[in-house]
Amino acid sequence: MTAFRLPADDRRCAYCLTTQANTGQPMTVDHIIPQSQGGVTAFDNLCFACRRCNEFKGSRTAACDPLTDADVPLFNPRTQAWSDHFAWDASATRLAGLSAIGRATILALNMNDAVIVDARRRWVSVGWHPPSQA
Ligand SMILES: [Zn+2]
């Protein structure tokens, strides 16, 4: 383990915004560009990610936009604004992709699968979700 420290990101996932408090598990540190593809361990290439997003992302850096069938880069939390690419639906349980990058990232990271949508429904019912905007 490195002693590298990240500035505070409110301990929430940079992709789906799930908070550490809601998951009950520490955030992982994601290499946005994986080390296996030359990504370095430096602030501009690191972000907090929940275990779900990090595991589904794996070593991917691109995915298919379901609307255009084009391969596009995954969302980069260090260079792009979350709100340019994602929005919550009216129930705040499902993410909508506002761009090709958002749509591809939602699918690649399974950000709307039944398990997490059910968890978000519970969090909404007690006022723990959605988090403040990115
Ligand atoms: Zn996440």
Side-chain angles (χ1 to χ4, degrees):
M1 253 351 239
T2 175
F4 188 86
R5 296 180 64 106
L6 289 170
D9 275 342
D10 296 329
R11 301 289 184 202
R12 67 181 177 185
C13 178
Y15 298 100
C16 72
L17 305 187
T18 294
T19 61
Q20 181 172 285
N22 279 356
T23 66
Q25 293 187 320
M27 288 287 130
T28 64
V29 177
D30 176 50
H31 283 79
I32 298 166
I33 304 298
Q35 291 176 293
S36 62
Q37 295 180 35
V40 296
T41 302
F43 177 75
D44 288 349
N45 192 45
L46 298 173
C47 67
F48 282 130
C50 69
R51 292 183 181 278
R52 290 178 43 86
C53 286
N54 202 348
E55 288 178 13
F56 285 122
K57 180 173 176 273
S59 60
R60 292 193 218 195
T61 57
C64 183
D65 170 17
L67 190 62
T68 63
D69 277 339
D71 276 339
V72 298
L74 293 179
F75 173 64
N76 183 323
R78 289 290 171 235
T79 61
Q80 299 169 327
W82 189 92
S83 58
D84 287 345
H85 300 281
F86 307 99
W88 296 108
D89 72 357
S91 69
T93 60
R94 298 178 59 84
L95 283 165
L98 303 179
S99 66
I101 287 170
R103 291 186 296 269
T105 302
I106 288 168
L107 276 186
L109 277 56
N110 287 330
M111 293 160 78
N112 282 331
D113 77 12
V115 174
I116 192 64
V117 168
D118 187 50
R120 289 180 190 138
R121 188 172 297 113
R122 291 167 179 262
W123 300 335
V124 166
S125 74
V126 292
W128 297 349
H129 182 85
S132 58
Q133 201 58 271

